[in-house]
Amino acid sequence: MRHEILNKKSWIARVRQDRYLLLLVLPCVLYYLIFKYGPMLGIVIAFKDYNLHRGIWDSPWVGFKWFNHFMNSRDFWPVLKNTFVLGFMKLLFGFPAPIILALLINEVRHAFFRRFVQTVSYLPHFISNVIVAGIMTMFLSPRNGIINELISFLGFDRINFLVEESWFRSIYVSSEIWQHLGWSTIIYLAALSTIDIQQYEAARLDGANRWQTTWNITMPGIAPTALIILILDIGKVLEIGFEKVYLLATPAVYSKADIISTYVYRVGLSEGKYSYATAIDLFTGMISIIFIISANWASRRINGNSLW
Amino acid sequence: MRNKSVISKVLLVFAMVLAITACSTQKSNTSSSETSNSGTSSTSSTKSENNPKVTLDMMVFQHPSWPYKEDWAIYKYYEEKLGIKFKVTAPPSDYDTALNLAFAGDTPDIMIVSNLAQANTYGSSGALLNFFDHLDKLPNYSKFLEDHPKVKSAILSADGKNYYLPHYGLEQTSRRSWTYRDDIFKKNNLKAPTTWDEMYKAAKELKKLYPDSYPIAIYDNLTGLTNIAAGFGTWYGPYVDYEKDEWRYGPTEDSFKEMLRYLNLFYKEGLIPPDFMAMKRDQFNDLLAQDKAFIANDYIGVIDEVPVIIQRTDDFSLDYMTPPIGGNNGKPYNAYDGLLNRGMAVAADTKNLDTVLKYVDFLYSPEGIELATYGREGETYYQKDGARRFNDEYVNFATLRKSTGIATYGSHLVVDMKAYSYMSSDKFNKAMEKIQNGNEAPLQPRLAYTDAENETLTMKNAEINKYRDEQIAKFILGQRDLSTWDQYVSEIQKLGLDEVMKINEDAYRRAQSFLK
């Protein structure tokens, strides 16, 4: 009893004591409430036949109509499969790439060169997708693209990359890696800098070579970071941006390039079917939540590291 | 001590926040003072003219090449002529979203809508004015519709109402057409092809003369097919065959197959760019600029525009080419969309109904068309040898629009295109004449669907169009053999083509019944 009172009192006291800190965090909380949680209420239009003029509340309820529509549509399975395969490939190749680059940059001893490589490698992150798609189209052109010039110089047949469906996924994934590799490396470099230098010195005294210190000190040092990134990335497998896929796809590769977001654009947004688009997005969001929860659970079971 | 440092940090943050908000308030202050300034100046001018004025809110789409300016002369003329002032909103980008927001909040009196379907959607939900309810106050508009029955058939809603005022005139310049490098053809003693067989021969010849060329330029996914299909006597989508008075689906017709056979042949032999689907306008212009393409399928405006864009005005010539006839059903036709997509609409709950009607009806009157087309003598144009010429500083149509606001959205509904033709080259004017005299497929109707029809169409068309475009692309690229054509046709039918065609047919008959 006495303990409880003390606790209660201390709670108020703690608020009083930390009032300035709480005040500092307030804008951030408000930001999330207003811009992230508030708009979530808009999800109701997934269950309504939303009409812009009538507004959200006066539009009629339609239950799960849009979800049924989507799941019974002929495009449902192909689109889901394409999204999943593309996302999974991106994860498979995109996840290890920044770790490798970070390790390589970390081994560079020349400070200027190191910073130079770092800067150059993360610049593409700031180029818009429209430009990247334009660059890709030009590089891959079968007429005068630099890649095809190289291929024909080496004596092979030119490849019409953008209309061959077998090439689409490789092109997309490699351009994604090129664009975001350097940027994702930053967090690993930060993790690397937290490793205690004394550990390296001790290892070197014990006669460990570079490979051994990398394997036994560096890797365990960044493992927790890598794991968290991996869990977050797994949650994003189905969230593939619309822009670049849309810009790189030609009708000839629809069977590989039509993903959930391009479908939403084509059938939902460009036709003004906001309810349908919202329903599909909600559906994708649910799957992403399942992914991230299972990844988190698995990670906690295996080695105790997890997001929550 | 520790407490103090926390406080000082908090204060610092607050100071920063204050600084930022101060900046923004300052900004909004200046802008509001600007508007109030213009407000006072306008009231003073009102007083000086002794003319009671009404201000109308108008939301317009603005073209990036002639963005809206507050001091455009054309609006001044309307103000003086009709006593109507305009408060124009011109969203810098993403017009549809801005318009949607306007419908959710304060709807302007007059607005530009993006297309007929949008006007009908908002109209049927009660947001827009049905002009047919007010024809007694719109004598000039009524007469315009009587004089142009084709236009009238393209502006109705599914239940025969009218929420959409059409633009008339400017659509003339947005015609698709075939063009060719007449200088290169002349130099090599070649004749412009009149059929697709001749086109093949000419392209082969040119490819021999210029080995790294792709003689025929098409670009941007499959959009070029719209115009090519017309030359084969078919259509890239559902269309009405006026002779037989029946609805047909182009992409499953034999004529369409014939077209794909040619395109596949041209692709195989390198006569069209191998990456035509991924090519955008820039690459298309590059091909022309580098003498790597000699026949082009694009908008007719390229005749005058491309030489300027690629900076080869003296040694480069594109001229109009009669559309080549393809196959047995072919005709020398280009496809033509008719009216511009955008139209004008009026809010159903406008507080200035009479003023709004006065304005839009004026824009259809002979006097209004005159003013909208030319502006005012001595200010925008002058007389020269009995003809009207725009001031010399308006070197072309674009500059005229940019500087005066003439022929921009919101400031006109009808313009007389003859007024501007002297600004184009003779070659272009001749081309326009030819294209309008027998080189154009009959105009397809613009249909209005009910909500239920729209829903079916959205779902079915999404599946049909995706399958259709994917397979058409594969036929052209040779990834699918044309011997499997029948399979493709039956697959499209399985996707619900009959239902889609019936909806089109119904909508068409319905629209016709309204016109009787």
Side-chain angles (χ1 to χ4, degrees):
Chain A
M1 191 64 190
R2 192 169 155 254
H3 180 73
E4 227 170 70
I5 291 169
L6 196 89
N7 228 349
K8 214 175 180 181
K9 205 177 167 188
S10 72
W11 187 79
I12 297 167
R14 266 159 60 201
V15 170
R16 276 183 66 88
Q17 184 197 322
D18 295 340
R19 58 189 182 279
Y20 296 115
L21 289 176
L22 288 171
L23 212 58
L24 268 182
V25 89
L26 189 67
C28 195
V29 172
L30 284 180
Y31 166 81
Y32 273 93
L33 284 178
I34 296 170
F35 294 107
K36 301 284 173 186
Y37 282 83
M40 259 192 222
L41 298 176
I43 286 174
V44 294
I45 70 169
F47 305 97
K48 289 189 155 210
D49 193 353
Y50 179 50
N51 176 308
L52 278 162
H53 181 59
R54 281 192 207 128
I56 294 179
W57 299 117
D58 293 335
S59 297
W61 291 96
V62 293
F64 284 89
K65 174 182 164 188
W66 302 115
F67 295 89
N68 285 334
H69 249 315
F70 182 46
M71 282 174 226
N72 294 329
S73 126
R74 191 185 120 98
D75 286 323
F76 176 68
W77 286 112
V79 161
L80 197 64
K81 187 189 141 203
N82 283 337
T83 314
F84 183 77
V85 172
L86 208 56
F88 184 73
M89 277 180 71
K90 201 170 124 184
L91 182 69
L92 190 69
F93 297 102
F95 172 68
I99 300 181
I100 295 169
L101 182 68
L103 291 177
L104 291 175
I105 291 180
N106 193 47
E107 292 298 318
V108 174
R109 291 286 165 239
H110 197 295
F112 172 78
F113 182 65
R114 189 171 148 171
R115 225 168 288 155
F116 177 74
V117 170
Q118 218 181 317
T119 311
V120 167
S121 70
Y122 75 61
L123 269 184
H125 179 79
F126 299 100
I127 303 177
S128 85
N129 279 327
V130 181
I131 312 259
V132 173
I135 295 176
M136 301 292 287
T137 315
M138 271 191 265
F139 276 21
L140 296 171
S141 163
R143 288 183 290 119
N144 48 14
I146 186 159
I147 295 177
N148 266 310
E149 293 294 326
L150 191 69
I151 290 175
S152 78
F153 175 75
L154 295 173
F156 297 100
D157 282 341
R158 285 165 184 266
I159 302 170
N160 205 345
F161 286 104
L162 291 174
V163 298
E164 297 285 347
E165 51 182 46
S166 54
W167 275 103
F168 179 77
R169 284 172 184 151
S170 325
I171 290 170
Y172 176 78
V173 171
S174 48
S175 83
E176 276 293 292
I177 293 178
W178 172 76
Q179 211 179 339
H180 302 298
L181 174 62
W183 184 254
S184 337
T185 306
I186 292 176
I187 197 162
Y188 291 111
L189 287 172
L192 281 169
S193 69
T194 63
I195 300 173
D196 193 348
I197 295 180
Q198 291 177 21
Q199 290 191 43
Y200 289 100
E201 282 163 1
R204 226 168 289 136
L205 280 179
D206 289 342
N209 60 23
R210 259 191 175 188
W211 179 246
Q212 282 166 326
T213 53
T214 304
W215 193 249
N216 294 310
I217 299 171
T218 316
M219 290 300 269
I222 59 171
T225 311
L227 207 69
I228 284 170
I229 303 272
L230 181 65
I231 295 171
L232 290 175
D233 278 356
I234 288 174
K236 281 190 228 149
V237 158
L238 286 184
E239 289 171 24
I240 298 180
F242 151 81
E243 267 181 357
K244 206 199 277 175
V245 174
Y246 182 76
L247 290 166
L248 284 175
T250 59
V253 300
Y254 275 171
S255 64
K256 292 268 162 46
D258 198 19
I259 60 170
I260 292 177
S261 55
T262 53
Y263 179 79
V264 166
Y265 174 76
R266 208 175 61 236
V267 185
L269 299 180
S270 68
E271 299 284 340
K273 297 216 167 300
Y274 297 105
S275 286
Y276 192 41
T278 311
I280 297 174
D281 259 4
L282 189 57
F283 170 83
T284 326
M286 297 311 282
I287 295 183
S288 295
I289 284 188
I290 296 173
F291 276 8
I292 201 165
I293 289 176
S294 6
N296 195 53
W297 177 82
S299 154
R300 199 170 47 210
R301 283 297 293 272
I302 294 166
N303 61 8
N305 271 319
S306 66
L307 282 179
W308 63 83
Chain B
M1 184 64 204
R2 194 167 144 251
N3 230 345
K4 243 185 189 170
S5 75
V6 169
I7 292 175
S8 61
K9 274 175 196 162
V10 171
L11 283 178
L12 182 71
V13 171
F14 269 106
M16 280 158 69
V17 171
L18 273 179
I20 291 164
T21 41
C23 282
S24 55
T25 40
Q26 207 170 12
K27 243 185 230 165
S28 60
N29 271 344
T30 42
S31 64
S32 66
S33 71
E34 265 167 45
T35 40
S36 65
N37 268 344
S38 64
T40 43
S41 67
S42 70
T43 37
S44 62
S45 68
T46 315
K47 272 176 200 158
S48 66
E49 279 160 45
N50 255 339
N51 193 352
K53 278 186 186 169
V54 184
T55 302
L56 296 180
D57 278 337
M58 180 155 72
M59 187 158 147
V60 300
F61 173 85
Q62 60 176 349
H63 193 286
S65 306
W66 32 91
Y68 170 74
K69 276 198 232 89
E70 231 170 289
D71 60 348
W72 269 349
I74 190 76
Y75 287 112
K76 193 181 78 190
Y77 302 150
Y78 290 137
E79 186 179 341
E80 285 161 20
K81 174 90 202 159
L82 304 168
I84 304 175
K85 266 186 66 68
F86 291 96
K87 197 174 142 250
V88 177
T89 318
S93 66
D94 201 0
Y95 186 76
D96 284 341
T97 308
L99 189 63
N100 285 338
L101 288 174
F103 276 119
D106 271 345
T107 318
D109 298 306
I110 302 177
M111 68 217 90
I112 297 295
V113 286
S114 298
N115 51 53
L116 178 65
Q118 192 184 45
N120 287 338
T121 309
Y122 284 118
S124 62
S125 69
L128 297 178
L129 193 75
N130 174 15
F131 296 107
F132 285 177
D133 288 344
H134 302 277
L135 284 180
D136 54 324
K137 286 182 182 150
L138 297 168
N140 290 303
Y141 180 49
S142 311
K143 182 161 187 317
F144 172 83
L145 290 184
E146 255 167 58
D147 294 347
H148 302 87
K150 279 248 149 133
V151 173
K152 190 177 177 185
S153 74
I155 57 163
L156 300 176
S157 73
D159 50 359
K161 294 183 177 145
N162 174 223
Y163 307 107
Y164 170 102
L165 296 173
H167 290 95
Y168 191 77
L170 283 179
E171 75 281 0
Q172 304 284 341
T173 49
S174 62
R175 289 184 138 91
R176 295 187 183 85
S177 99
W178 285 94
T179 51
Y180 77 118
R181 284 289 301 278
D182 54 329
D183 51 345
I184 298 269
F185 270 67
K186 205 174 282 164
K187 193 172 116 193
N188 295 303
N189 267 327
L190 290 166
K191 266 203 341 225
T194 59
T195 66
W196 273 75
D197 283 326
E198 285 178 29
M199 187 116 110
Y200 177 70
K201 271 178 221 149
K204 284 295 258 186
E205 196 72 26
L206 284 162
K207 181 96 182 170
K208 218 182 283 165
L209 292 165
Y210 305 87
D212 57 353
S213 72
Y214 301 94
I216 295 158
I218 50 177
Y219 70 102
D220 193 14
N221 287 330
L222 300 171
T223 51
L225 298 195
T226 306
N227 201 36
I228 299 176
F232 281 81
T234 176
W235 200 260
Y236 186 29
Y239 72 105
V240 58
D241 182 338
Y242 290 106
E243 276 168 36
K244 294 182 191 136
D245 192 33
E246 65 179 13
W247 274 81
R248 307 173 61 88
Y249 190 65
T252 53
E253 291 184 322
D254 286 343
S255 319
F256 206 89
K257 181 183 173 189
E258 184 69 3
M259 171 176 84
L260 296 182
R261 195 179 65 75
Y262 275 104
L263 288 174
N264 172 239
L265 178 71
F266 281 49
Y267 176 81
K268 261 193 309 203
E269 308 209 0
L271 307 178
I272 52 178
D275 54 344
F276 72 92
M277 281 195 276
M279 267 169 58
K280 299 279 175 262
R281 181 172 288 277
D282 283 349
Q283 286 115 311
F284 167 78
N285 285 342
D286 284 348
L287 272 185
L288 290 171
Q290 297 160 358
D291 292 336
K292 283 185 177 167
F294 313 103
I295 296 176
N297 176 31
D298 201 22
Y299 283 90
I300 192 163
V302 298
I303 291 180
D304 280 357
E305 285 162 17
V306 164
V308 178
I309 295 171
I310 63 174
Q311 300 178 339
R312 283 183 60 185
T313 35
D314 32 329
D315 64 335
F316 180 98
S317 171
L318 265 181
D319 202 355
Y320 177 74
M321 183 174 109
T322 307
I325 299 169
N328 297 328
N329 289 324
K331 299 203 173 77
Y333 281 167
N334 287 301
Y336 179 41
D337 289 338
L339 298 178
L340 295 183
N341 278 321
R342 295 195 174 84
M344 199 182 265
V346 170
D349 58 357
T350 172
K351 292 188 185 72
N352 304 303
L353 182 61
D354 287 338
T355 318
V356 171
L357 294 178
K358 181 172 148 195
Y359 177 59
V360 299
D361 195 57
F362 177 72
L363 293 181
Y364 284 106
S365 71
E367 201 188 353
I369 295 171
E370 175 98 4
L371 186 58
T373 306
Y374 289 99
R376 192 181 280 167
E377 182 164 2
E379 292 187 25
T380 52
Y381 71 93
Y382 59 94
Q383 299 276 353
K384 187 189 171 194
D385 309 331
R388 280 180 281 197
R389 288 285 176 264
F390 290 97
N391 292 358
D392 297 338
E393 70 255 34
Y394 309 139
V395 287
N396 52 37
F397 192 28
T399 322
L400 175 72
R401 296 164 97 172
K402 195 174 153 186
S403 331
T404 63
I406 285 175
T408 57
Y409 285 114
S411 78
H412 87 284
L413 281 166
V414 183
V415 285
D416 179 3
M417 292 304 287
K418 280 197 272 323
Y420 314 120
S421 62
Y422 80 89
M423 294 170 151
S424 310
S425 67
D426 285 347
K427 208 164 58 177
F428 178 83
N429 289 329
K430 269 187 204 143
M432 285 294 282
E433 206 170 294
K434 276 188 209 149
I435 202 168
Q436 290 173 58
N437 290 304
N439 280 178
E440 220 157 56
L443 193 59
Q444 286 298 311
R446 202 167 277 184
L447 300 178
Y449 307 103
T450 63
D451 287 348
E453 286 172 345
N454 259 329
E455 196 164 320
T456 316
L457 280 184
T458 311
M459 296 298 167
K460 296 276 170 206
N461 275 340
E463 292 177 3
I464 292 176
N465 293 350
K466 179 185 160 190
Y467 179 78
R468 176 195 70 191
D469 288 351
E470 186 180 355
Q471 301 311 315
I472 285 177
K474 285 177 185 266
F475 281 130
I476 296 176
L477 300 170
Q479 293 173 0
R480 177 170 182 168
D481 199 90
L482 272 170
S483 61
T484 61
W485 176 260
D486 293 342
Q487 233 173 296
Y488 152 83
V489 172
S490 70
E491 187 66 28
I492 283 210
Q493 256 140 11
K494 253 188 262 164
L495 292 176
L497 182 62
D498 289 346
E499 215 176 318
V500 168
M501 294 308 287
K502 188 173 175 316
I503 290 177
N504 279 308
E505 173 114 34
D506 288 351
Y508 177 61
R509 303 286 167 218
R510 201 167 51 218
Q512 284 195 314
S513 73
F514 293 135
L515 294 175
K516 269 169 201 161

